[in-house]
Amino acid sequence: MKNLYKIITLFAMIFITGIFVTVLTVNSSLNTFENPNKTVEVQKDTLYLLKAEKKTV
């Protein structure tokens, strides 16, 4: 019976440690600040260029 308590205690400790590590990992990933300014290349729409070409011809 003592071995059963030891096994249950071991699994409980592993479970609690896993929850603790997961909470720390998620919390640290939520605290990181990403740069909101991202460079975006502006591309012209080909349909717009085709319509503009038809109007000039």
Side-chain angles (χ1 to χ4, degrees):
M1 200 66 171
K2 288 183 180 181
N3 286 339
L4 181 64
Y5 290 131
K6 287 181 183 178
I7 292 171
I8 292 173
T9 306
L10 176 68
F11 280 115
M13 291 296 289
I14 292 171
F15 184 73
I16 291 170
T17 305
I19 291 174
F20 183 71
V21 169
T22 303
V23 167
L24 287 179
T25 305
V26 169
N27 194 20
S28 66
S29 66
L30 290 176
N31 286 335
T32 58
F33 294 105
E34 293 182 11
N35 189 4
N37 299 330
K38 294 184 179 179
T39 306
V40 178
E41 290 185 24
V42 177
Q43 297 177 350
K44 294 195 177 206
D45 188 14
T46 54
L47 292 175
Y48 169 76
L49 293 174
L50 290 174
K51 287 180 185 178
E53 186 177 326
K54 284 183 182 178
K55 287 182 183 177
T56 56
V57 174

